[in-house]
């Protein structure tokens, strides 16, 4: 488990997507996920990690010679991914992304993503994640 936490700290990405939707009151669907990308030669490793976590799917893009493990089902994220990385800590700056990811998951769990106030909170959190994070020296 510690190896996987370190691996995801280096090669994983916790993300939040806002997807336009004409059938939802707020006009958006909020999607959470974890993605790990590796060279296509490491496809078996991605399958082993998928089996270990018990969720997600593995796919490849031959043009990029890459293979991905993606976990985006909310129940899997909330009940498998978040507890795992809470017990086996993400390290470095990615720990801040994981913390924000967890905050968004809690907003979704409490149904706050279904109103404009909650959606605005999610937008603010999302804007500061990953490449949007401003590091202070």
């Amino acid at each position: 488990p510690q190896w996987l936490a370190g691996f995801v700290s280096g090669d994983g990405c916790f993300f939040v997507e806002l997807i336009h939707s004409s059938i939802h009151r707020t006009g958006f669907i909020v999607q959470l996920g974890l993605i790990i990308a590796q060279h296509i030669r490491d496809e078996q490793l991605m399958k082993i990690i998928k089996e270990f976590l018990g969720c997600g799917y593995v796919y490849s893009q031959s043009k990029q010679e890459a293979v991905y493990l993606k976990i985006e089902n909310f129940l899997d994220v909330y009940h498998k991914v978040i507890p795992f990385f809470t017990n086996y800590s993400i390290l470095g700056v990615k720990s801040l992304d994981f913390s924000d990811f967890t905050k968004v998951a809690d907003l979704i769990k409490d149904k706050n993503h279904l109103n404009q106030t909650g959606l605005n909170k999610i937008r603010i959190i999302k804007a500061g994640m990953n490449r949007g994070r401003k590091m202070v020296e």
Side-chain angles (χ1 to χ4, degrees), residues 42-112:
D42 294 319
E43 182 174 9
Q44 190 60 33
L45 173 62
M46 295 294 100
K47 290 178 179 178
I48 290 168
I49 293 171
K50 174 191 173 291
E51 292 304 313
F52 181 79
L53 292 173
C55 58
Y57 56 95
V58 174
Y59 66 98
S60 60
Q61 293 185 340
S62 58
K63 289 181 182 179
Q64 296 179 344
E65 294 187 3
V67 63
Y68 304 89
L69 168 60
K70 191 170 190 179
I71 303 168
E72 57 188 357
N73 174 285
F74 181 75
L75 294 176
D76 288 338
V77 165
Y78 200 80
H79 295 290
K80 295 178 182 177
V81 172
I82 290 174
F84 180 85
F85 291 109
T86 298
N87 289 330
Y88 302 99
S89 298
I90 293 293
L91 303 175
V93 69
K94 199 156 293 164
S95 67
L96 302 174
D97 292 329
F98 178 69
S99 177
D100 288 341
F101 179 81
T102 302
K103 289 175 190 171
V104 173
D106 287 336
L107 288 167
I108 293 170
K109 178 188 72 73
D110 294 337
K111 308 278 188 220
N112 288 311

Side-chain angles (χ1 to χ4, degrees), residues 1 9 11 55 76 87 93 98 113 122 127-128 130 133:
S9 294
D11 285 342
C55 58
D76 288 338
N87 289 330
V93 69
F98 178 69
H113 67 297
I122 291 170
N130 300 313
R133 185 167 305 284

